[in-house]
Amino acid sequence: MTIATDKPVLFVDVDGVISLFGFAPGGDFPGAFHSVDGILHCIATDCGERLRRLEEHFELVWATGWEEKANEYLPLILELPFKELPSLTFGEQAVFGSAHWKLEAIEQYAGTRAAAWIDDNLDERCERWAAERDAPTLLVRTEPATGMSDEHVEQLLQWAEEHRRRA
Ligand SMILES: [Mg+2]
């Protein structure tokens, strides 16, 4: 397989990272509501800018139960400079509220490359996978009510920088 980039991969979950839920009712919403196939999603403010910063240092890959819908909706909503990203498919395995069903597709895509993964549902199976990889691997957990923050972005960029220096 030829790899077009030596950037590490960043697997990006959507629900709980970009599309927020579980925030306190009554206050200001943490994003703007958008209809995705007729269902309203609260898409986090500033996530487009965060993904743009990350895209300079990572190959971004959608790793979400949204599958191809991520490309259908998110680049437009988030005003991303790219029309689409690679997106993983999971067959019928998607289960809301967990993430281990993503492991097979993630492992297959990552191969021997350095890889980071941002998700709100990383469990012990995901941790075991990360610990057992030979290539540098970083798991970044989000809270579904707040999603990806500037701190998460800084953590990812710092890790990518360290990886670049080591390589
Ligand atoms: Mg999620």
Side-chain angles (χ1 to χ4, degrees):
M1 191 175 73
T2 312
I3 293 165
T5 171
D6 54 6
K7 291 178 188 174
V9 193
L10 173 57
F11 296 103
V12 182
D13 179 30
V14 174
D15 286 315
V17 176
I18 293 170
S19 174
L20 308 180
F21 57 91
F23 39 85
D28 287 340
F29 294 118
F33 284 88
H34 295 270
S35 172
V36 174
D37 283 5
I39 296 167
L40 283 181
H41 287 260
C42 182
I43 304 296
T45 311
D46 299 335
C47 260
E49 178 56 32
R50 295 187 176 114
L51 287 175
R52 273 195 293 277
R53 291 179 64 201
L54 290 166
E55 200 265 340
E56 291 172 24
H57 303 278
F58 289 91
E59 184 199 8
L60 304 183
V61 175
W62 298 125
T64 164
W66 287 39
E67 299 190 335
E68 72 281 358
K69 271 197 213 96
N71 277 327
E72 217 175 293
Y73 287 94
L74 293 175
L76 198 66
I77 292 174
L78 298 171
E79 298 177 14
L80 298 176
F82 32 88
K83 286 238 179 326
E84 59 173 41
L85 297 176
S87 96
L88 302 183
T89 51
F90 306 100
E92 301 292 301
Q93 298 179 74
V95 184
F96 190 81
S98 60
H100 59 271
W101 47 273
K102 297 178 181 174
L103 278 170
E104 201 178 311
I106 281 182
E107 166 69 14
Q108 199 174 356
Y109 194 96
T112 57
R113 297 169 66 186
W117 179 7
I118 184 164
D119 200 298
D120 64 320
N121 271 308
L122 298 165
D123 60 17
E124 63 281 2
R125 277 170 282 195
C126 305
E127 281 164 19
R128 204 177 317 132
W129 168 80
E132 286 171 359
R133 289 192 82 221
D134 289 331
T137 306
L138 176 70
L139 300 181
V140 177
R141 277 184 188 73
T142 61
E143 288 299 323
T146 48
M148 176 167 45
S149 65
D150 283 332
E151 288 71 31
H152 296 132
V153 173
E154 291 309 324
Q155 185 189 358
L156 284 159
L157 292 178
Q158 201 178 337
W159 179 83
E161 173 64 27
E162 282 160 21
H163 167 67
R164 222 174 10 254
R165 274 201 228 113
R166 274 195 307 268

PDB file of all heavy atoms in Angstrom, residues 13-42:
ATOM      1  N   ASP A  13     -14.492  11.055  15.799  1.00  0.00           N
ATOM      2  CA  ASP A  13     -15.882  10.707  16.082  1.00  0.00           C
ATOM      3  C   ASP A  13     -16.731  11.965  15.923  1.00  0.00           C
ATOM      4  O   ASP A  13     -16.206  13.087  15.983  1.00  0.00           O
ATOM      5  CB  ASP A  13     -15.951  10.162  17.519  1.00  0.00           C
ATOM      6  CG  ASP A  13     -17.352   9.779  17.938  1.00  0.00           C
ATOM      7  OD1 ASP A  13     -18.163   9.383  17.070  1.00  0.00           O
ATOM      8  OD2 ASP A  13     -17.633   9.867  19.150  1.00  0.00           O
ATOM      9  N   VAL A  14     -18.026  11.800  15.744  1.00  0.00           N
ATOM     10  CA  VAL A  14     -18.895  12.970  15.584  1.00  0.00           C
ATOM     11  C   VAL A  14     -19.813  13.156  16.801  1.00  0.00           C
ATOM     12  O   VAL A  14     -19.767  14.197  17.466  1.00  0.00           O
ATOM     13  CB  VAL A  14     -19.715  12.880  14.276  1.00  0.00           C
ATOM     14  CG1 VAL A  14     -20.727  14.037  14.207  1.00  0.00           C
ATOM     15  CG2 VAL A  14     -18.777  12.915  13.066  1.00  0.00           C
ATOM     16  N   ASP A  15     -20.633  12.152  17.129  1.00  0.00           N
ATOM     17  CA  ASP A  15     -21.540  12.307  18.276  1.00  0.00           C
ATOM     18  C   ASP A  15     -20.731  12.373  19.563  1.00  0.00           C
ATOM     19  O   ASP A  15     -19.963  11.460  19.880  1.00  0.00           O
ATOM     20  CB  ASP A  15     -22.527  11.132  18.341  1.00  0.00           C
ATOM     21  CG  ASP A  15     -23.595  11.226  17.259  1.00  0.00           C
ATOM     22  OD1 ASP A  15     -24.131  12.335  17.071  1.00  0.00           O
ATOM     23  OD2 ASP A  15     -23.875  10.209  16.605  1.00  0.00           O
ATOM     24  N   GLY A  16     -20.879  13.462  20.293  1.00  0.00           N
ATOM     25  CA  GLY A  16     -20.123  13.633  21.539  1.00  0.00           C
ATOM     26  C   GLY A  16     -18.786  14.331  21.341  1.00  0.00           C
ATOM     27  O   GLY A  16     -18.068  14.589  22.311  1.00  0.00           O
ATOM     28  N   VAL A  17     -18.442  14.615  20.079  1.00  0.00           N
ATOM     29  CA  VAL A  17     -17.190  15.322  19.777  1.00  0.00           C
ATOM     30  C   VAL A  17     -17.508  16.620  19.028  1.00  0.00           C
ATOM     31  O   VAL A  17     -17.044  17.703  19.392  1.00  0.00           O
ATOM     32  CB  VAL A  17     -16.242  14.443  18.935  1.00  0.00           C
ATOM     33  CG1 VAL A  17     -14.990  15.210  18.526  1.00  0.00           C
ATOM     34  CG2 VAL A  17     -15.860  13.191  19.719  1.00  0.00           C
ATOM     35  N   ILE A  18     -18.329  16.490  17.987  1.00  0.00           N
ATOM     36  CA  ILE A  18     -18.729  17.634  17.158  1.00  0.00           C
ATOM     37  C   ILE A  18     -20.220  17.910  17.328  1.00  0.00           C
ATOM     38  O   ILE A  18     -20.654  19.050  17.392  1.00  0.00           O
ATOM     39  CB  ILE A  18     -18.389  17.338  15.685  1.00  0.00           C
ATOM     40  CG1 ILE A  18     -16.862  17.283  15.522  1.00  0.00           C
ATOM     41  CG2 ILE A  18     -19.006  18.393  14.757  1.00  0.00           C
ATOM     42  CD1 ILE A  18     -16.407  16.754  14.175  1.00  0.00           C
ATOM     43  N   SER A  19     -21.014  16.830  17.373  1.00  0.00           N
ATOM     44  CA  SER A  19     -22.443  16.938  17.638  1.00  0.00           C
ATOM     45  C   SER A  19     -22.657  16.670  19.125  1.00  0.00           C
ATOM     46  O   SER A  19     -22.333  15.593  19.621  1.00  0.00           O
ATOM     47  CB  SER A  19     -23.204  15.909  16.794  1.00  0.00           C
ATOM     48  OG  SER A  19     -24.569  15.924  17.151  1.00  0.00           O
ATOM     49  N   LEU A  20     -23.159  17.691  19.830  1.00  0.00           N
ATOM     50  CA  LEU A  20     -23.184  17.626  21.295  1.00  0.00           C
ATOM     51  C   LEU A  20     -24.537  17.180  21.818  1.00  0.00           C
ATOM     52  O   LEU A  20     -25.567  17.430  21.207  1.00  0.00           O
ATOM     53  CB  LEU A  20     -22.828  19.008  21.869  1.00  0.00           C
ATOM     54  CG  LEU A  20     -21.532  19.617  21.322  1.00  0.00           C
ATOM     55  CD1 LEU A  20     -21.280  20.986  21.960  1.00  0.00           C
ATOM     56  CD2 LEU A  20     -20.353  18.686  21.556  1.00  0.00           C
ATOM     57  N   PHE A  21     -24.516  16.536  22.990  1.00  0.00           N
ATOM     58  CA  PHE A  21     -25.763  16.147  23.657  1.00  0.00           C
ATOM     59  C   PHE A  21     -25.499  16.049  25.158  1.00  0.00           C
ATOM     60  O   PHE A  21     -24.351  16.000  25.596  1.00  0.00           O
ATOM     61  CB  PHE A  21     -26.295  14.817  23.099  1.00  0.00           C
ATOM     62  CG  PHE A  21     -25.313  13.671  23.194  1.00  0.00           C
ATOM     63  CD1 PHE A  21     -25.302  12.837  24.309  1.00  0.00           C
ATOM     64  CD2 PHE A  21     -24.406  13.432  22.179  1.00  0.00           C
ATOM     65  CE1 PHE A  21     -24.406  11.774  24.404  1.00  0.00           C
ATOM     66  CE2 PHE A  21     -23.492  12.377  22.272  1.00  0.00           C
ATOM     67  CZ  PHE A  21     -23.508  11.545  23.380  1.00  0.00           C
ATOM     68  N   GLY A  22     -26.587  16.064  25.931  1.00  0.00           N
ATOM     69  CA  GLY A  22     -26.457  15.908  27.379  1.00  0.00           C
ATOM     70  C   GLY A  22     -26.090  17.195  28.093  1.00  0.00           C
ATOM     71  O   GLY A  22     -25.780  17.189  29.277  1.00  0.00           O
ATOM     72  N   PHE A  23     -26.141  18.335  27.378  1.00  0.00           N
ATOM     73  CA  PHE A  23     -25.845  19.611  28.053  1.00  0.00           C
ATOM     74  C   PHE A  23     -27.084  20.049  28.841  1.00  0.00           C
ATOM     75  O   PHE A  23     -28.209  19.615  28.558  1.00  0.00           O
ATOM     76  CB  PHE A  23     -25.412  20.686  27.051  1.00  0.00           C
ATOM     77  CG  PHE A  23     -26.165  20.659  25.756  1.00  0.00           C
ATOM     78  CD1 PHE A  23     -27.383  21.301  25.629  1.00  0.00           C
ATOM     79  CD2 PHE A  23     -25.649  19.963  24.663  1.00  0.00           C
ATOM     80  CE1 PHE A  23     -28.075  21.267  24.438  1.00  0.00           C
ATOM     81  CE2 PHE A  23     -26.347  19.929  23.462  1.00  0.00           C
ATOM     82  CZ  PHE A  23     -27.562  20.576  23.353  1.00  0.00           C
ATOM     83  N   ALA A  24     -26.855  20.896  29.842  1.00  0.00           N
ATOM     84  CA  ALA A  24     -27.937  21.316  30.736  1.00  0.00           C
ATOM     85  C   ALA A  24     -28.987  22.110  29.957  1.00  0.00           C
ATOM     86  O   ALA A  24     -28.639  22.999  29.177  1.00  0.00           O
ATOM     87  CB  ALA A  24     -27.370  22.168  31.862  1.00  0.00           C
ATOM     88  N   PRO A  25     -30.258  21.799  30.165  1.00  0.00           N
ATOM     89  CA  PRO A  25     -31.293  22.571  29.479  1.00  0.00           C
ATOM     90  C   PRO A  25     -31.424  23.948  30.117  1.00  0.00           C
ATOM     91  O   PRO A  25     -31.033  24.154  31.261  1.00  0.00           O
ATOM     92  CB  PRO A  25     -32.557  21.736  29.707  1.00  0.00           C
ATOM     93  CG  PRO A  25     -32.291  20.941  30.944  1.00  0.00           C
ATOM     94  CD  PRO A  25     -30.794  20.776  31.058  1.00  0.00           C
ATOM     95  N   GLY A  26     -31.927  24.870  29.365  1.00  0.00           N
ATOM     96  CA  GLY A  26     -32.210  26.190  29.940  1.00  0.00           C
ATOM     97  C   GLY A  26     -31.122  27.211  29.710  1.00  0.00           C
ATOM     98  O   GLY A  26     -31.404  28.382  29.547  1.00  0.00           O
ATOM     99  N   GLY A  27     -29.862  26.758  29.642  1.00  0.00           N
ATOM    100  CA  GLY A  27     -28.771  27.713  29.428  1.00  0.00           C
ATOM    101  C   GLY A  27     -28.572  27.999  27.948  1.00  0.00           C
ATOM    102  O   GLY A  27     -29.421  27.660  27.117  1.00  0.00           O
ATOM    103  N   ASP A  28     -27.476  28.644  27.628  1.00  0.00           N
ATOM    104  CA  ASP A  28     -27.129  28.860  26.226  1.00  0.00           C
ATOM    105  C   ASP A  28     -26.734  27.519  25.615  1.00  0.00           C
ATOM    106  O   ASP A  28     -26.048  26.723  26.251  1.00  0.00           O
ATOM    107  CB  ASP A  28     -25.943  29.832  26.107  1.00  0.00           C
ATOM    108  CG  ASP A  28     -26.355  31.255  26.426  1.00  0.00           C
ATOM    109  OD1 ASP A  28     -27.575  31.543  26.355  1.00  0.00           O
ATOM    110  OD2 ASP A  28     -25.473  32.067  26.761  1.00  0.00           O
ATOM    111  N   PHE A  29     -27.158  27.299  24.399  1.00  0.00           N
ATOM    112  CA  PHE A  29     -26.750  26.067  23.726  1.00  0.00           C
ATOM    113  C   PHE A  29     -25.279  26.169  23.316  1.00  0.00           C
ATOM    114  O   PHE A  29     -24.815  27.246  22.933  1.00  0.00           O
ATOM    115  CB  PHE A  29     -27.618  25.816  22.489  1.00  0.00           C
ATOM    116  CG  PHE A  29     -29.047  25.532  22.840  1.00  0.00           C
ATOM    117  CD1 PHE A  29     -30.064  26.365  22.400  1.00  0.00           C
ATOM    118  CD2 PHE A  29     -29.384  24.431  23.610  1.00  0.00           C
ATOM    119  CE1 PHE A  29     -31.394  26.118  22.728  1.00  0.00           C
ATOM    120  CE2 PHE A  29     -30.708  24.169  23.942  1.00  0.00           C
ATOM    121  CZ  PHE A  29     -31.712  25.014  23.502  1.00  0.00           C
ATOM    122  N   PRO A  30     -24.551  25.033  23.386  1.00  0.00           N
ATOM    123  CA  PRO A  30     -23.117  25.076  23.048  1.00  0.00           C
ATOM    124  C   PRO A  30     -22.849  25.042  21.545  1.00  0.00           C
ATOM    125  O   PRO A  30     -21.702  24.897  21.134  1.00  0.00           O
ATOM    126  CB  PRO A  30     -22.578  23.806  23.732  1.00  0.00           C
ATOM    127  CG  PRO A  30     -23.746  22.882  23.761  1.00  0.00           C
ATOM    128  CD  PRO A  30     -24.974  23.728  23.872  1.00  0.00           C
ATOM    129  N   GLY A  31     -23.883  25.178  20.742  1.00  0.00           N
ATOM    130  CA  GLY A  31     -23.684  25.160  19.296  1.00  0.00           C
ATOM    131  C   GLY A  31     -24.972  25.557  18.608  1.00  0.00           C
ATOM    132  O   GLY A  31     -25.914  26.005  19.241  1.00  0.00           O
ATOM    133  N   ALA A  32     -25.000  25.358  17.299  1.00  0.00           N
ATOM    134  CA  ALA A  32     -26.186  25.688  16.510  1.00  0.00           C
ATOM    135  C   ALA A  32     -26.855  24.393  16.058  1.00  0.00           C
ATOM    136  O   ALA A  32     -26.174  23.413  15.765  1.00  0.00           O
ATOM    137  CB  ALA A  32     -25.789  26.538  15.302  1.00  0.00           C
ATOM    138  N   PHE A  33     -28.182  24.410  16.015  1.00  0.00           N
ATOM    139  CA  PHE A  33     -28.905  23.197  15.618  1.00  0.00           C
ATOM    140  C   PHE A  33     -29.012  23.101  14.097  1.00  0.00           C
ATOM    141  O   PHE A  33     -29.319  24.079  13.415  1.00  0.00           O
ATOM    142  CB  PHE A  33     -30.287  23.183  16.261  1.00  0.00           C
ATOM    143  CG  PHE A  33     -30.228  22.810  17.713  1.00  0.00           C
ATOM    144  CD1 PHE A  33     -30.032  23.790  18.680  1.00  0.00           C
ATOM    145  CD2 PHE A  33     -30.317  21.490  18.108  1.00  0.00           C
ATOM    146  CE1 PHE A  33     -29.947  23.451  20.023  1.00  0.00           C
ATOM    147  CE2 PHE A  33     -30.233  21.134  19.447  1.00  0.00           C
ATOM    148  CZ  PHE A  33     -30.048  22.124  20.407  1.00  0.00           C
ATOM    149  N   HIS A  34     -28.732  21.909  13.600  1.00  0.00           N
ATOM    150  CA  HIS A  34     -28.832  21.629  12.173  1.00  0.00           C
ATOM    151  C   HIS A  34     -29.601  20.325  11.995  1.00  0.00           C
ATOM    152  O   HIS A  34     -29.427  19.378  12.773  1.00  0.00           O
ATOM    153  CB  HIS A  34     -27.443  21.476  11.555  1.00  0.00           C
ATOM    154  CG  HIS A  34     -26.636  22.735  11.581  1.00  0.00           C
ATOM    155  ND1 HIS A  34     -26.644  23.661  10.564  1.00  0.00           N
ATOM    156  CD2 HIS A  34     -25.809  23.232  12.530  1.00  0.00           C
ATOM    157  CE1 HIS A  34     -25.845  24.666  10.865  1.00  0.00           C
ATOM    158  NE2 HIS A  34     -25.318  24.439  12.062  1.00  0.00           N
ATOM    159  N   SER A  35     -30.414  20.276  10.971  1.00  0.00           N
ATOM    160  CA  SER A  35     -31.166  19.054  10.677  1.00  0.00           C
ATOM    161  C   SER A  35     -30.301  18.119   9.844  1.00  0.00           C
ATOM    162  O   SER A  35     -29.801  18.482   8.782  1.00  0.00           O
ATOM    163  CB  SER A  35     -32.442  19.418   9.920  1.00  0.00           C
ATOM    164  OG  SER A  35     -33.057  18.236   9.473  1.00  0.00           O
ATOM    165  N   VAL A  36     -30.118  16.914  10.348  1.00  0.00           N
ATOM    166  CA  VAL A  36     -29.358  15.896   9.622  1.00  0.00           C
ATOM    167  C   VAL A  36     -30.310  14.731   9.380  1.00  0.00           C
ATOM    168  O   VAL A  36     -30.714  14.053  10.326  1.00  0.00           O
ATOM    169  CB  VAL A  36     -28.115  15.452  10.423  1.00  0.00           C
ATOM    170  CG1 VAL A  36     -27.410  14.284   9.734  1.00  0.00           C
ATOM    171  CG2 VAL A  36     -27.156  16.624  10.612  1.00  0.00           C
ATOM    172  N   ASP A  37     -30.702  14.552   8.165  1.00  0.00           N
ATOM    173  CA  ASP A  37     -31.729  13.559   7.816  1.00  0.00           C
ATOM    174  C   ASP A  37     -32.963  13.702   8.703  1.00  0.00           C
ATOM    175  O   ASP A  37     -33.520  12.716   9.192  1.00  0.00           O
ATOM    176  CB  ASP A  37     -31.165  12.130   7.926  1.00  0.00           C
ATOM    177  CG  ASP A  37     -30.270  11.780   6.741  1.00  0.00           C
ATOM    178  OD1 ASP A  37     -30.019  12.681   5.900  1.00  0.00           O
ATOM    179  OD2 ASP A  37     -29.827  10.621   6.666  1.00  0.00           O
ATOM    180  N   GLY A  38     -33.374  14.939   8.945  1.00  0.00           N
ATOM    181  CA  GLY A  38     -34.600  15.186   9.692  1.00  0.00           C
ATOM    182  C   GLY A  38     -34.440  15.168  11.205  1.00  0.00           C
ATOM    183  O   GLY A  38     -35.398  15.403  11.926  1.00  0.00           O
ATOM    184  N   ILE A  39     -33.241  14.887  11.692  1.00  0.00           N
ATOM    185  CA  ILE A  39     -33.014  14.885  13.139  1.00  0.00           C
ATOM    186  C   ILE A  39     -32.143  16.075  13.503  1.00  0.00           C
ATOM    187  O   ILE A  39     -31.114  16.323  12.853  1.00  0.00           O
ATOM    188  CB  ILE A  39     -32.333  13.567  13.587  1.00  0.00           C
ATOM    189  CG1 ILE A  39     -33.273  12.386  13.310  1.00  0.00           C
ATOM    190  CG2 ILE A  39     -31.948  13.621  15.067  1.00  0.00           C
ATOM    191  CD1 ILE A  39     -32.611  11.031  13.416  1.00  0.00           C
ATOM    192  N   LEU A  40     -32.554  16.818  14.534  1.00  0.00           N
ATOM    193  CA  LEU A  40     -31.784  18.001  14.921  1.00  0.00           C
ATOM    194  C   LEU A  40     -30.544  17.613  15.714  1.00  0.00           C
ATOM    195  O   LEU A  40     -30.613  16.824  16.646  1.00  0.00           O
ATOM    196  CB  LEU A  40     -32.651  18.938  15.758  1.00  0.00           C
ATOM    197  CG  LEU A  40     -33.665  19.775  14.986  1.00  0.00           C
ATOM    198  CD1 LEU A  40     -34.443  20.675  15.943  1.00  0.00           C
ATOM    199  CD2 LEU A  40     -32.981  20.615  13.905  1.00  0.00           C
ATOM    200  N   HIS A  41     -29.421  18.162  15.304  1.00  0.00           N
ATOM    201  CA  HIS A  41     -28.157  17.945  16.008  1.00  0.00           C
ATOM    202  C   HIS A  41     -27.593  19.300  16.418  1.00  0.00           C
ATOM    203  O   HIS A  41     -27.632  20.250  15.634  1.00  0.00           O
ATOM    204  CB  HIS A  41     -27.140  17.254  15.093  1.00  0.00           C
ATOM    205  CG  HIS A  41     -27.445  15.815  14.840  1.00  0.00           C
ATOM    206  ND1 HIS A  41     -26.807  14.793  15.502  1.00  0.00           N
ATOM    207  CD2 HIS A  41     -28.342  15.233  14.015  1.00  0.00           C
ATOM    208  CE1 HIS A  41     -27.284  13.636  15.081  1.00  0.00           C
ATOM    209  NE2 HIS A  41     -28.215  13.865  14.179  1.00  0.00           N
ATOM    210  N   CYS A  42     -27.045  19.352  17.618  1.00  0.00           N
ATOM    211  CA  CYS A  42     -26.396  20.571  18.091  1.00  0.00           C
ATOM    212  C   CYS A  42     -24.910  20.492  17.716  1.00  0.00           C
ATOM    213  O   CYS A  42     -24.146  19.742  18.318  1.00  0.00           O
ATOM    214  CB  CYS A  42     -26.550  20.714  19.604  1.00  0.00           C
ATOM    215  SG  CYS A  42     -25.812  22.237  20.218  1.00  0.00           S
TER     216      CYS A  42
END
